[in-house]
Amino acid sequence: MQKSHVQIGQSPLPVYTVNTLIVGSGAAALGAAVNLLRQGVTDLAIVTEQWGGGTSNNAGSDKQTYYKLSLAGDVPDSPYQMARDLFAGGCMHGDLALCEAQGSPQAFFNLVSLGVPFPHDRYGGYVGYKTDHDPRQRATSAGPRTSHFMFERLAAEVQKHNVPIFDAHDVVALLTEEQEGETRVVGALALDKSNLNAPTRGFVLFNATNVVLGTGGPAAIYKTSVYPESQTGSTGMALEIGAVGNNLTESQYGLASIKFRWNVSGTYQQVIPRYISTAPDGSDEREFLNDYFPSMSKLATAIFLKGYQWPFDPRKVRNYGSSLTDILVYQETVLRGRRVFLDFRRNPSGAGKLEDFSFDLLEKEAYEYLEKSGALFGTPIERLAKMNQPAIDLYKDHGIDITQEPLEIAVCAQHNNGGLRVNIWWETSVKHLFAVGEVAGTHGVYRPGGASLNAGQVGGARAALFIAKRYQSHPVPVQKFAELVRAQVSAKLHLAEEMIDPAVEGAAAVWRLRDELQERMSSAGAV
Ligand SMILES: Cc1cc2nc3c(=O)[nH]c(=O)nc-3n(C[C@H](O)[C@H](O)[C@H](O)COP(=O)(O)OP(=O)(O)OC[C@H]3O[C@@H](n4cnc5c(N)ncnc54)[C@H](O)[C@@H]3O)c2cc1C
């Protein structure tokens, strides 16, 4: 990497020239970096909004899942079969499904070799379990924070190789040139947030042959979200330069606590808590689900099933399915302006409309599961303590004691199955611009739980291989770069000046606009 300066606007801006610029420091971006190093591409730099920010390092769930080919025991599996199952999610590209299936063992064992603690038996078998939309036992998990371990181990590997990291730098624009009727990325404009008062206003340029975007999902477009606060997303800057999107409407939603953002999946539902709603001031408590279910048997079973049917699925609404609860929570919170809570302290009551809860009302699947877990007794919190004490401790660690108080929840955005369209090397429709991880739109309408983490790792490996073999030309000389991007950069500098100038009408509106957009997306984005 080389540093120089070019004069654009009032002050000379620093320019870093590098073969491959990686944007983001989540599991996908870091996976791409590690794979580039393995392929011998050492002229790299990582530019990231916040080292340690983003979804991978900060999100998790009851049992955060990683999906891969079945690799243990006598479970029959094949890459073709796995590709078919990924493809069956609808609107998924078959070639990408095949790449994700064939690349999954390599990606998985790369993580194993880096030290991600996936469980295995004493004979070396990485035994799996079934996740949603998964007919085999392809899922594995390193616990509630699988993606955090991935971040941690991949980050250590990148740091070991002294890859330059530009922390606290937001990439605000991708820079392009037109070549023979095609758009090609040539670098990026970033804002160094530690240097905003400098004459450059913190602007920094990157002159790169390739840009790998690993900027994650579009978290900041939602108000109610279980993405971590540190994740914003930057898909828009690729769309702005003409990159084509894919399945952008396919966001995943589910029930999550909102004071501390965490999915209330798995045992949080399997212990069958009481769903209550109140007026905004906490008065007028009601067990609102009772109005919509014909019997306690159907209601309690639907709550139980939500444990492993966590994301909202319109196919699971009919016949009092588990996703009916998402719709009713949405109706209560967004349409009626009430608050909804899970109360673990008492069993659901019929409140005169239905029978009161009792275990013999449960349908077979729910009854047998609780019986096997030794949890056919007591209150939801007592069952949770028996089945998964860490689930209680987790909230305690974040200042919420669910043994004493109800837990406020909402229907939250969690993941975008769509994103930027990529080819089988994870290159977008803009040449030399690659998209890996959640920013890439590689999933179908449905995806097996855990397929996101696999796709991020496989995508990084595919992009790295292609860059190493085909895209090793030098970046353009700095002066030529300056001429190519001068107009694009000047326009952004001008826009930035306007936004911070209190005299310009509407300058402060950018934050209001964001709030308004978030409000709209959370109330109508999934309708
Ligand atoms: C609660 C929850 C539970 C989940 N459970 C599962 C699961 O069980 N299995 C599964 O497969 N998936 C799961 N997911 C999804 C999965 O965790 C994410 O899709 C994945 O971690 C995203 O990784 P990523 O590397 O693409 O992006 P992220 O980890 O989000 O990283 C994005 C990076 O880009 C940076 N960035 C963004 N914009 C810019 C910019 N303009 N300039 C510089 N840097 C920028 C951010 O700071 C961050 O470093 C879950 C998600 C959530 C929220």
Side-chain angles (χ1 to χ4, degrees):
M1 186 175 70
Q2 283 174 346
K3 183 178 180 186
S4 43
H5 287 84
V6 294
Q7 184 76 37
I8 301 181
Q10 312 279 343
S11 332
L13 299 181
V15 187
Y16 296 91
T17 297
V18 66
N19 175 264
T20 300
L21 179 71
I22 297 171
V23 186
S25 57
L30 296 175
V34 167
N35 278 286
L36 281 161
L37 292 168
R38 298 242 165 97
Q39 295 292 340
V41 181
T42 51
D43 188 17
L44 301 176
I46 294 175
V47 49
T48 182
E49 214 174 0
Q50 186 192 341
W51 182 256
T55 305
S56 310
N57 189 35
N58 299 289
S61 61
D62 207 31
K63 186 158 71 172
Q64 199 186 14
T65 303
Y66 189 99
Y67 194 68
K68 48 137 191 61
L69 199 71
S70 285
L71 295 165
D74 62 357
V75 181
D77 204 355
S78 74
Y80 259 52
Q81 195 49 54
M82 181 169 162
R84 278 194 200 100
D85 294 332
L86 291 169
F87 184 72
C91 295
M92 166 137 201
H93 198 297
D95 293 356
L96 292 177
L98 186 58
C99 293
E100 286 182 10
Q102 296 199 139
S104 90
Q106 188 187 353
F108 175 70
F109 283 115
N110 178 43
L111 295 170
V112 169
S113 72
L114 290 173
V116 178
F118 287 113
H120 56 85
D121 64 24
R122 59 201 292 241
Y123 305 102
Y126 286 84
V127 181
Y129 58 89
K130 274 191 190 178
T131 176
D132 40 334
H133 310 296
D134 168 27
R136 315 273 152 162
Q137 292 169 14
R138 298 192 182 115
T140 183
S141 172
R145 292 218 177 256
T146 302
S147 60
H148 157 75
F149 287 125
M150 290 167 62
F151 165 81
E152 195 180 69
R153 302 315 309 154
L154 289 161
E157 186 69 6
V158 162
Q159 285 169 322
K160 195 167 90 188
H161 287 86
N162 298 318
V163 175
I165 295 165
F166 292 83
D167 191 11
H169 280 60
D170 285 6
V171 171
V172 293
L174 296 168
L175 305 170
T176 60
E177 69 164 332
E178 294 300 313
Q179 260 186 4
E180 294 163 7
E182 280 188 325
T183 308
R184 173 192 170 152
V185 80
V186 292
L189 174 68
L191 201 52
D192 174 359
K193 292 183 285 191
S194 65
N195 209 15
L196 296 176
N197 293 325
T200 59
R201 299 264 195 226
F203 283 109
V204 178
L205 286 164
F206 291 91
N207 171 25
T209 303
N210 310 296
V211 176
V212 179
L213 275 190
T215 48
I221 63 172
Y222 294 102
K223 183 175 166 219
T224 40
S225 154
V226 67
Y227 284 95
E229 272 97 348
S230 62
Q231 174 57 10
T232 51
S234 296
T235 313
M237 68 187 176
L239 298 175
E240 195 182 8
I241 58 162
V244 176
N246 202 38
N247 292 347
L248 283 169
T249 50
E250 297 306 326
S251 275
Q252 268 190 320
Y253 304 86
L255 299 178
S257 55
I258 52 178
K259 296 245 165 72
F260 159 56
R261 294 181 177 193
W262 196 255
N263 291 353
V264 281
S265 57
T267 36
Y268 291 111
Q269 303 289 348
Q270 286 163 340
V271 298
I272 314 172
R274 213 164 66 98
Y275 276 63
I276 53 174
S277 77
T278 70
D281 63 3
S283 63
D284 187 27
E285 180 184 307
R286 289 186 213 155
E287 288 190 58
F288 63 100
L289 297 182
N290 290 351
D291 294 340
Y292 301 92
F293 281 83
S295 64
M296 180 56 76
S297 170
K298 287 274 177 218
L299 169 55
T301 303
I303 296 173
F304 171 86
L305 290 175
K306 185 120 272 301
Y308 46 84
Q309 297 176 351
W310 181 81
F312 172 73
D313 180 350
R315 298 172 306 184
K316 298 196 176 91
V317 173
R318 279 165 172 260
N319 299 323
Y320 308 101
S322 58
S323 283
L324 179 58
T325 52
D326 300 76
I327 292 193
L328 298 174
V329 172
Y330 170 84
Q331 176 174 285
E332 210 67 4
T333 50
V334 179
L335 304 183
R336 299 202 169 132
R338 290 169 63 83
R339 298 167 70 190
V340 172
F341 301 83
L342 297 185
D343 182 0
F344 293 90
R345 299 164 302 173
R346 283 163 50 198
N347 285 314
S349 85
K353 291 192 176 128
L354 308 175
E355 311 92 303
D356 283 342
F357 173 81
S358 74
F359 295 108
D360 52 14
L361 293 174
L362 287 175
E363 290 178 10
K364 192 166 174 266
E365 186 178 352
Y367 185 91
E368 287 181 358
Y369 187 92
L370 289 177
E371 188 179 37
K372 261 197 216 150
S373 309
L376 280 178
F377 70 94
T379 59
I381 198 70
E382 287 164 348
R383 295 193 280 279
L384 193 56
K386 160 92 183 163
M387 289 166 71
N388 189 1
Q389 177 63 37
I392 300 173
D393 300 341
L394 178 89
Y395 277 104
K396 224 174 223 155
D397 292 345
H398 290 86
I400 301 171
D401 184 356
I402 60 172
T403 67
Q404 301 297 324
E405 57 183 311
L407 179 67
E408 187 160 9
I409 61 161
V411 179
C412 293
Q414 172 201 240
H415 183 269
N416 194 266
N417 282 358
L420 300 174
R421 192 176 80 192
V422 293
N423 66 14
I424 59 166
W425 301 103
W426 269 250
E427 187 176 18
T428 68
S429 57
V430 173
K431 289 276 162 212
H432 292 258
L433 176 66
F434 294 79
V436 298
E438 199 176 327
V439 69
T442 60
H443 305 288
V445 177
Y446 297 100
R447 65 177 174 91
S452 173
L453 293 175
N454 175 61
Q457 295 308 297
V458 174
R462 301 280 298 166
L465 184 60
F466 194 82
I467 288 170
K469 301 296 175 204
R470 297 284 178 87
Y471 280 176
Q472 280 305 292
S473 59
H474 290 295
V476 292
V478 173
Q479 279 316 318
K480 177 157 186 234
F481 171 73
E483 292 322 310
L484 279 175
V485 303
R486 184 174 301 281
Q488 298 165 58
V489 174
S490 298
K492 290 292 174 196
L493 299 187
H494 182 68
L495 183 68
E497 289 298 338
E498 275 192 352
M499 281 186 176
I500 55 172
D501 183 352
V504 173
E505 201 184 328
V510 64
W511 290 108
R512 275 205 308 278
L513 204 65
R514 179 162 151 170
D515 288 348
E516 200 183 306
L517 190 76
Q518 288 181 335
E519 195 81 46
R520 276 200 223 162
M521 284 302 288
S522 283
S523 64
V527 175

